[in-house]
Amino acid sequence: GAVVSQHPSRVICKSGTSVKIECRSLDFQATTMFWYRQFPKQSLMLMATSNEGSKATYEQGVEKDKFLINHASLTLSTLTVTSAHPEDSSFYICSARDTENYGYTFGSGTRLTVV
Amino acid sequence: KQEVTQIPAALSVPEGENLVLNCSFTDSAIYNLQWFRQDPGKGLTSLLLIQSSQREQTSGRLNASLDKSSGRSTLYIAASQPGDSATYLCAVSSGGYQKVTFGTGTKLQVIP
């Protein structure tokens, strides 16, 4: 079945630095990938829709200059948290749609801690 | 705007019991509905995918049903095991880009 690989699984960074998270579709091409954020004991909130070769579509309230998304190829999307602050600490998960059955496959998530 | 609700928020059952998790959504114009499992601190594992034209899907001890007209889906787990303990999320795909909206989740604990 479709597999989405997400790296790193865990990262700790200092305030003010930037962190890049990668999301790869391993055995299928994904023209569209999605980035979610999950706060403790809450469900997933869609942050943005990443489209290959074009600009990402951000959900209301998500700062596009803070959360930079690049989808340069059909198998890779990246999320860069710029000038990270402690309030950016969260669990970030990407997903891609399997074009065969249109179900969604999720990465294993990235636990970001900003100190 | 699609809204997805899951009831109950938490459930604790003894091992071996059959159980039902509920998911309701407000906009019935969906592409599909997917049930996921999430273990603490982990990503999501897809359990069952039901297309809008389907009524149910089965995988092992799991059975998911879909009633689009009433905006409801249920996940039935037969003969529950301690390894089934996790948070179960339903997700509905609808609207532009087939955007996925997640439910609030049901945290299941199966007691040995």
Side-chain angles (χ1 to χ4, degrees), chain B residues 4-109:
Chain B
V4 183
T5 305
Q6 289 184 246
I7 295 173
L11 183 62
S12 183
V13 300
E15 182 177 3
E17 199 164 288
N18 302 325
L19 56 101
V20 175
L21 307 181
N22 297 290
C23 172
S24 61
F25 46 95
T26 55
D27 183 356
S28 60
I30 68 171
Y31 293 97
N32 58 50
L33 184 146
Q34 206 163 353
W35 282 92
F36 294 91
R37 167 187 173 140
Q38 185 176 32
D39 293 285
K42 304 289 186 181
L44 275 66
T45 301
S46 179
L47 299 173
L48 290 164
L49 168 68
I50 310 177
Q51 303 291 354
S52 63
S53 58
Q54 297 174 324
R55 297 281 294 184
E56 67 176 343
Q57 283 287 330
T58 299
S59 176
R61 294 182 294 108
L62 305 179
N63 175 277
S65 67
L66 174 64
D67 184 345
K68 258 198 332 179
S69 59
S70 66
R72 293 181 183 180
S73 175
T74 60
L75 177 66
Y76 175 82
I77 302 177
S80 58
Q81 302 171 357
D84 295 330
S85 299
T87 295
Y88 290 79
L89 296 164
C90 77
V92 175
S93 174
S94 59
Y97 287 114
Q98 299 189 20
K99 179 178 169 180
V100 175
T101 304
F102 279 87
T104 46
T106 294
K107 186 173 183 179
L108 172 65
Q109 182 182 23

Side-chain angles (χ1 to χ4, degrees), chain A residues 1-28:
Chain A
V3 177
V4 172
S5 175
Q6 185 174 344
H7 294 280
S9 59
R10 188 179 295 269
V11 59
I12 301 173
C13 70
K14 293 183 178 180
S15 288
T17 61
S18 295
V19 174
K20 180 185 284 189
I21 303 171
E22 290 190 351
C23 180
R24 293 180 185 272
S25 56
L26 296 187
D27 51 0
F28 66 103

Side-chain angles (χ1 to χ4, degrees), chain A residues 64-110:
Chain A
K64 60 182 179 182
D65 294 330
K66 179 161 193 64
F67 299 99
L68 300 180
I69 291 173
N70 184 281
H71 194 154
S73 77
L74 287 171
T75 59
L76 173 65
S77 176
T78 61
L79 168 68
T80 301
V81 183
T82 63
S83 186
H85 291 285
E87 57 264 31
D88 298 325
S89 298
S90 191
F91 192 57
Y92 295 87
I93 308 178
C94 69
S95 78
R97 187 158 57 103
D98 181 348
T99 52
E100 274 196 27
N101 61 23
Y102 296 98
Y104 289 85
T105 301
F106 282 78
S108 54
T110 298

